[in-house]
Amino acid sequence: MIPFNKPCVIGSEIHAIQQVITADKLSGNGEFGKKCMKWLEEQLTCEKALLTPSCTAALELTALLTDIQPGDEVVMPSYTFVSTANAFVLRGASIRFVDIEPSTMNIDPQAIERAITEHTKAIVVVHYAGVGCDMDTVLTIANNHNLWVIEDAAQGLMSTYKGESLGTIGHLSTISFHDTKNYTCGEGGALLINDASLIERAEMIQEKGTNRSQFIRGEIDKYTWRDVGSSYLLSELNAAYLSVQFQHANEINQNRRHSWAQYNHGLMNLQLDGAIELPTIPNVCEHNAHMYYIKLENEMERNQLRQFLKQNHITAATHYVPLHTAHAGKQFGLFVGEDRYTTTESDRLLRLPLYYGIGEEAINDVVNKIQQYFQS
Ligand SMILES: *Cc1c(COP(=O)(O)O)cnc(C)c1O
């Protein structure tokens, strides 16, 4: 049996968690939390990183920090996870869904321009599979219209666009440490703040709307209610687990990249034969091998191959149902422009098993079964 995913574990996480327990501090922003935030700030070169309970929570923080109000509009791809939209819907915004580019499954910048109105406040881009969006074009459009740029970099840690880390290009960005992501702690996330003017407010919103963070640093002698807020901290137990993953980030990245390359090499002949399409990585992007997907001729063939792999004890997965076709998507959003690629490309996409330590043998197995499917 080859599962689709296995949560990443190095082995020494248990010792870090033990240290937290003996140190008598389990709540957020402790020693391990600070270590993780510092690692993110230095590794990615960003102004400020805050650990959050999830990427979903970090996205909610971005909606609060950009002061999204009822009636505001936010532009994003329809091909994304529900949290990308929900964070803004919770603030009363309506979503303007736009099409993707088929080569990367990332937002089509040309489609953004057409979706902007006088009510538009923000553009949210999603770096699908850890492959960077066309950020130069997105930033130009955002500057022209005075819009916030938020990167949903849930899948993008350790990837770059023109040498800059994903998550450090827009005003704000979010990362996920869910157990399906490259670096995990079960449930967890981070908010990256690249616009320094937002740091103080972010710390307050994260701490239930109080200036408790300043109090803990000894900058003030009591803390009070200053702003709207919620509890957006990551437990120190989770941070301990995460800190070990960060220590081994290069090793995890190289292992995944190796597996990704093995798939790409092993399936290349099927692309040359025109049977399937392999992922495209733009020249300006370095990716983190978050995902290996192939595209079949159509939905029927995708489902047939998936079934064939399942019969052979291999779990392959489909991905997002375009949000504009979902019940809530119709209620809270609108697809602007033509759905040229979102539906057709998502219908024929299949994700193959890929996780830290999957091993060459398992990938060989998957590749051979796919070859076998096309021979018969
Ligand atoms: C995983 C993911 C999320 C949600 O992350 P959580 O940490 O589970 O909240 C949001 N957006 C994208 C693009 C994702 O891949």
Side-chain angles (χ1 to χ4, degrees), residues 52-59 79-85 125-129 152-156 174-181 186-190 290-291 319-320 351:
T52 59
S54 62
C55 179
T56 301
L59 283 161
Y79 189 68
T80 183
F81 189 60
V82 290
S83 298
T84 322
V125 301
V126 180
H127 302 298
Y128 187 70
D152 181 342
Q155 305 169 11
T174 65
I175 294 177
S176 174
F177 306 119
H178 187 260
D179 73 5
T180 51
K181 302 304 200 284
E187 302 275 359
H290 173 59
M291 193 189 293
H319 213 183
Y320 307 129
R351 295 180 292 159

